[in-house]
């Protein structure tokens, strides 16, 4: 059966290759955000003809004019993509011309905290309407195990074509790390799981054109689980050190020094560090997809994930409580104090604010009637709960002027020793400043 499928799919692929010569489009990427655009860039850089599909007309117009909206993809790279033949579209007719279609759309949480697959189902429906024999379809959007087989496959097969026989279907988790200049997309191993062995062979061959190492999973569910495992591992370990930071302070232990010492062990330990909370799309979101799958399929809770969520979600409140204690020790109430927040993005040296813990920190400070301002070299405007937060321009003057400065994100542009000297009170939630007058998380 598998051999017959492989032969059938191979013949279909050859037919598509012959019919696509005129258009010569090897890849269509659906969703041109922080995952899809770098993928399109990498494929384009090795000579593949790439098109992109996005529902945002402004994004499409900007890309076709050579302007990027993704921090890790400069305008110059988009212009090179355009010169190599890349074009962005809002019309899904472009999908019919591609030998491979990769879905890179967002998978946020719904209002009740469960998975929101509306973008995935919309993309799959668009692909189904344009699906041709021999095409390869890959889902890269992070989701719960079973989505490729149980959600995407039925939608695609409404076309009358069958996965593994008429077209290939696979899942390959994205591993984009915004702001990471050490590991390029090409250098990060690509995990691929196919619906059938022949589907996996097609997907491995495709990614092998522009990724150095391709790792084949047993199937789509294993590939889907691999992504959730990666981020749940981080989520749980961040929660561990966050709670350890709270406990260590009560025990009069310098948790940062303990982590430094433990990190000298050359095996069996990976250092994670406390913070005001977790942000970005992955860590606060992805474990919920795994939690949903466990609950819906098995009928019980994934207790490790729930506990990690509880600990990490309470960190902004803990930071505000520590800030209040710090002000009280200086003879000032939090009520009416001027508090400066430094770094409101979710990680250093990026402009990405998704799920940043700075938002709940600012909201909680305002609820306690503090006057909140912010500074971030990557964020010109910032609002919390629909209200703009004043931005300071002269950082050192503002640190001298505010009653309390809280370092939430340690951007490399910050002169931390100078801040320690200038600020009236400085609360370092990143453990980066070693100064006797600086309070650390």
């Amino acid at each position: 059966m598998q051999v017959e499928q492989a032969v059938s799919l191979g013949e279909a692929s050859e037919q598509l290759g012959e019919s696509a010569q005129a258009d010569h489009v090897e890849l269509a990427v659906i969703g041109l955000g922080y995952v899809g655009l770098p993928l399109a860039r990498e494929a384009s850089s090795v000579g593949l003809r790439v098109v992109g599909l996005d529902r945002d007309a402004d994004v499409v117009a900007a890309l076709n004019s050579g302007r990027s909206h993704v921090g890790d993809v400069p305008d110059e790279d988009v212009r090179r993509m355009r010169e190599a033949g890349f074009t962005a579209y809002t019309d899904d007719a472009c999908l019919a011309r591609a030998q491979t279609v990769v879905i890179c759309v967002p998978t946020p949480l719904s209002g009740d905290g469960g998975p929101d697959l509306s973008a995935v189902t919309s993309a799959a429906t668009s692909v189904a309407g344009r699906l041709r024999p021999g095409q390869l379809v890959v889902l890269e959007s992070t989701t719960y195990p079973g989505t490729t087989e149980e959600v995407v496959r039925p939608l695609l097969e409404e076309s009358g074509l069958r996965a593994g026989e008429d077209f290939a279907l696979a899942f390959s988790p994205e591993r984009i790390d915004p702001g990471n200049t050490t590991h390029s997309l090409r250098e990060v191993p690509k995990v691929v799981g196919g619906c059938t062995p022949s589907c996996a062979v097609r997907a491995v061959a495709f990614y092998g054109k522009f990724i150095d190492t391709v790792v084949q999973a047993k199937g789509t569910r294993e590939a889907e689980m691999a992504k959730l495992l990666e981020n749940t591992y981080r989520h749980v370990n961040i929660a561990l050190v966050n709670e350890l930071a709270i406990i260590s302070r009560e025990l009069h232990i310098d948790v940062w020094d303990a982590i430094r010492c433990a990190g000298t062990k050359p095996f069996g330990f990976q250092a994670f560090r406390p913070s005001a909370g977790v942000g970005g799309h992955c860590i606060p979101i992805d474990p919920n997809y795994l939690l949903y799958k466990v609950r819906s399929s098995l009928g019980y809770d994934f207790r490790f994930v729930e506990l990690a969520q509880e600990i990490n979600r309470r960190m902004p409140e803990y930071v505000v409580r520590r800030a209040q204690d710090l002000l009280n020790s200086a003879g000032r109430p939090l009520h009416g104090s001027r508090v400066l927040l430094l770094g409101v993005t979710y990680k250093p040296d990026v402009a990405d604010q998704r799920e940043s813990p700075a938002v709940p920190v600012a909201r909680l400070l305002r609820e306690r009637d503090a006057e909140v301002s912010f500074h971030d070299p990557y964020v010109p405007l910032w609002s919390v709960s629909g209200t703009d937060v004043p931005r300071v321009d002269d950082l050192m003057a503002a640190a001298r002027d505010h009653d309390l400065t809280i370092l939430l994100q340690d951007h490399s542009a910050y002169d931390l020793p100078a801040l320690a000297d200038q600020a009236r009170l400085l609360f370092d939630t990143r453990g980066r400043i070693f100064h006797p007058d600086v309070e650390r998380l």
Side-chain angles (χ1 to χ4, degrees):
M1 180 65 165
Q2 292 176 355
V3 173
E4 292 175 357
Q5 287 178 343
V7 171
S8 175
L9 183 56
E11 292 173 349
S13 179
E14 290 178 5
Q15 293 170 6
L16 178 62
E18 294 171 359
S19 64
Q21 287 301 312
D23 289 329
H24 191 58
V25 175
E26 286 96 349
L27 171 64
V29 178
I30 303 180
L32 297 173
Y34 81 101
V35 173
L37 190 59
L39 176 70
R41 174 184 61 182
E42 199 67 36
S44 180
S45 72
V46 298
L48 300 186
R49 177 71 182 273
V50 183
V51 298
L53 175 65
D54 200 285
R55 64 182 181 182
D56 190 325
D58 291 337
V59 165
V60 168
L63 290 173
N64 288 335
S65 298
R67 301 191 311 275
S68 175
H69 60 291
V70 175
D72 286 347
V73 182
D75 292 348
E76 182 180 352
D77 287 4
V78 176
R79 288 193 289 269
R80 279 197 290 263
M81 291 168 63
R82 292 285 290 141
E83 292 169 0
F86 172 79
T87 305
Y89 297 90
T90 57
D91 186 347
D92 63 18
C94 66
L95 302 179
R97 298 189 287 128
Q99 293 172 306
T100 298
V101 178
V102 179
I103 299 172
C104 302
V105 296
T107 48
L109 298 179
S110 63
D112 61 2
D116 180 356
L117 296 181
S118 57
V120 170
T121 57
S122 176
T125 300
S126 295
V127 176
R130 305 289 181 175
L131 196 61
R132 296 165 60 187
Q135 283 183 311
L136 165 65
V137 181
V138 183
L139 176 64
E140 284 206 8
S141 305
T142 303
T143 186
Y144 58 81
T147 301
T148 306
E149 292 274 7
E150 299 165 9
V151 177
V152 175
R153 182 174 184 168
L155 289 171
L156 296 179
E157 291 186 343
E158 288 181 4
S159 65
L161 303 177
R162 293 292 172 262
E165 298 177 13
D166 306 307
F167 69 94
L169 176 61
F171 179 82
S172 180
E174 59 89 3
R175 282 175 162 175
I176 296 293
D177 184 18
N180 190 329
T181 59
T182 303
H183 301 97
S184 68
L185 190 151
R186 171 181 284 277
E187 295 168 335
V188 176
K190 200 81 172 78
V191 174
V192 171
C195 285
T196 67
S198 59
C199 292
V201 168
R202 282 286 308 280
V204 168
F206 165 69
Y207 283 110
K209 295 176 181 179
F210 55 94
I211 302 293
D212 291 342
T213 303
V214 182
V215 179
Q216 184 173 333
K218 184 177 181 180
T220 59
R221 285 176 171 82
E222 287 75 16
E224 290 161 337
M225 179 63 90
K227 171 65 174 181
L228 297 184
L229 174 59
E230 292 169 13
N231 287 328
T232 301
Y233 167 81
R234 294 169 63 197
H235 185 52
V236 169
N237 279 282
I238 291 170
L240 170 65
V241 295
N242 277 338
E243 187 160 40
L244 195 65
I246 296 172
I247 293 169
S248 294
R249 184 167 185 268
E250 298 298 322
L251 295 175
H252 307 290
I253 296 169
D254 186 337
V255 68
W256 302 97
D257 193 57
I259 293 171
R260 179 186 65 84
C261 292
T264 62
K265 186 178 181 181
F267 55 89
F269 180 81
Q270 180 180 352
F272 289 81
R273 292 172 176 80
S275 65
V278 293
H281 176 267
C282 291
I283 301 178
I285 305 298
D286 295 355
N288 287 277
Y289 274 69
L290 184 54
L291 187 62
Y292 164 82
K293 183 62 176 179
V294 172
R295 285 174 174 168
S296 61
S297 297
L298 304 179
Y300 54 80
D301 294 329
F302 193 167
R303 290 180 290 172
F304 259 118
V305 171
E306 289 187 323
L307 181 58
Q309 287 174 330
E310 177 187 338
I311 293 169
N312 288 331
R313 284 173 180 167
R314 78 184 187 195
M315 288 308 293
E317 184 173 355
Y318 176 71
V319 166
V320 172
R321 189 165 70 248
R322 288 281 302 278
Q324 186 171 15
D325 291 343
L326 187 57
L327 283 164
N328 286 341
S329 67
R332 290 194 58 87
L334 180 57
H335 179 98
S337 288
R338 302 186 65 197
V339 180
L340 176 62
L341 303 181
L342 302 186
V344 298
T345 60
Y346 89 88
K347 65 180 296 188
D349 299 332
V350 300
D352 200 331
Q353 302 170 48
R354 289 173 300 171
E355 306 297 325
S356 171
V359 172
V361 168
R363 185 174 60 248
L364 290 166
L365 287 169
R366 281 178 162 178
E367 288 175 0
R368 289 158 176 78
D369 295 317
E371 297 180 18
V372 181
S373 302
F374 88 99
H375 179 276
D376 193 302
Y378 298 91
V379 181
L381 298 171
W382 188 47
S383 63
V384 174
S385 301
T387 303
D388 289 343
V389 180
R391 187 184 191 277
V392 303
D393 294 320
D394 189 331
L395 177 55
M396 294 304 169
R400 291 191 298 268
D401 188 47
H402 283 70
D403 300 301
L404 173 64
T405 298
I406 305 178
L407 180 68
L408 294 176
Q409 201 54 264
D410 51 330
H411 295 304
S412 59
Y414 286 146
D415 186 340
L416 300 182
L419 275 171
D421 290 333
Q422 296 295 320
R424 291 188 188 178
L425 288 174
L426 181 56
F427 182 20
D428 173 16
T429 71
R430 305 302 300 171
R432 290 290 310 281
I433 305 174
F434 299 89
H435 190 283
D437 295 328
V438 174
E439 182 85 358
R440 292 198 293 170
L441 186 66

